[in-house]
Amino acid sequence: MLSKSQLLLLVVGFCLNAAALADVDCSKRPTFVDPKTCCPMPDFVTAELKEKCAQFNMTPPPPTDGDASGSFESKRRHHHPHPPPCFFSCIFNETGIYTNRSLNQDKLESYVQVVYKDSTDLQTTAIEAFTTCAIKVAEFEANLPMRPSPRPGRPSPPPGMPFCPHDAGHLMGCVFRNLMKNCPASIRNDSQQCTDMKEFFTKCKPPRGPPPPSAEEM
């Protein structure tokens, strides 16, 4: 049976711990740290796949001054590019992981067992990330408003860019963020900088950012 003084110390300890966890200033971003430093993991895309899909590894050009939209969203896309949708469409088609907006669980498991062969924890986390993100992407795509037809003189897609659905890029961006947030303890770097960054992006909702990684980082 705990004494009153022991109970008091226990309650104070819980309160201090909760206060420390909640004490995150969401108005100040932490010092930038390369996500791969905080969660060191092998590249998701193998060298062989990068070579096969190299022709699709390009980012759409930024909007020109003549772009009549001038919207905040178009500027945001310029400064925070998404992973190249055609590149990841190619990657997913080659592996069979995600085709026709559908996740193939068996092929996903087979693939992560190869690329993350040294960490069963990472394999499990990656499979959970893909499963969660595939549902999120499907919901996001279903709620998108109908896109207006391209205006005369404004080609879609941009010149030199093939047309590809964006769900593949959205899926990979979501998976990468999920892996960083839920990095397994067995490989996670718990340095102060990494802890600060994780707490910020776990407890705060940045307005726009950071941008998803480029294809070379995956």
Side-chain angles (χ1 to χ4, degrees):
M1 191 75 175
L2 293 176
S3 67
K4 289 185 178 180
S5 59
Q6 287 174 319
L7 282 171
L8 180 61
L9 287 173
L10 189 61
V11 170
V12 170
F14 277 130
C15 291
L16 289 174
N17 186 53
L21 289 174
D23 188 21
V24 177
D25 186 351
C26 292
S27 67
K28 296 180 181 179
R29 285 174 178 259
T31 303
F32 175 78
V33 185
D34 185 343
K36 288 293 187 72
T37 299
C38 298
C39 188
M41 66 176 73
D43 289 344
F44 178 78
V45 181
T46 64
E48 180 184 5
L49 282 173
K50 285 181 182 179
E51 185 176 351
K52 282 185 178 181
C53 299
Q55 62 178 314
F56 300 113
N57 191 9
M58 50 185 166
T59 303
T64 63
D65 293 337
D67 184 354
S69 68
S71 66
F72 173 81
E73 184 64 18
S74 67
K75 293 175 182 176
R76 183 186 72 80
R77 285 197 301 267
H78 170 44
H79 291 291
H80 299 288
H82 290 288
C86 292
F87 178 77
F88 284 105
S89 290
C90 177
I91 296 299
F92 291 144
N93 286 333
E94 288 287 338
T95 58
I97 289 175
Y98 180 77
T99 54
N100 299 321
R101 301 178 183 270
S102 178
L103 189 66
N104 187 313
Q105 202 77 19
D106 292 336
K107 291 186 177 180
L108 170 62
E109 290 178 9
S110 297
Y111 184 77
V112 298
Q113 285 170 8
V114 173
V115 292
Y116 298 145
K117 63 181 186 297
D118 295 328
S119 174
T120 54
D121 290 342
L122 189 53
Q123 292 172 25
T124 301
T125 304
I127 291 168
E128 290 174 352
F130 267 97
T131 303
T132 299
C133 288
I135 295 171
K136 287 184 177 180
V137 169
E139 292 174 348
F140 173 76
E141 295 279 332
N143 291 322
L144 281 178
M146 291 292 291
R147 294 182 179 178
S149 301
R151 294 193 297 272
R154 186 183 177 191
S156 180
M161 293 294 297
F163 175 79
C164 298
H166 282 74
D167 56 318
H170 290 155
L171 176 62
M172 197 65 239
C174 174
V175 167
F176 186 84
R177 289 188 293 270
N178 191 296
L179 287 173
M180 293 297 109
K181 181 179 177 181
N182 300 305
C183 185
S186 55
I187 65 170
R188 188 175 62 226
N189 178 351
D190 287 323
S191 68
Q192 188 62 53
Q193 281 187 320
C194 289
T195 300
D196 290 346
M197 187 173 73
K198 180 182 178 182
E199 286 188 353
F200 179 86
F201 287 108
T202 298
K203 298 169 185 175
C204 306
K205 188 175 181 181
R208 300 290 179 185
S214 66
E216 289 77 10
E217 295 175 315
M218 294 181 171

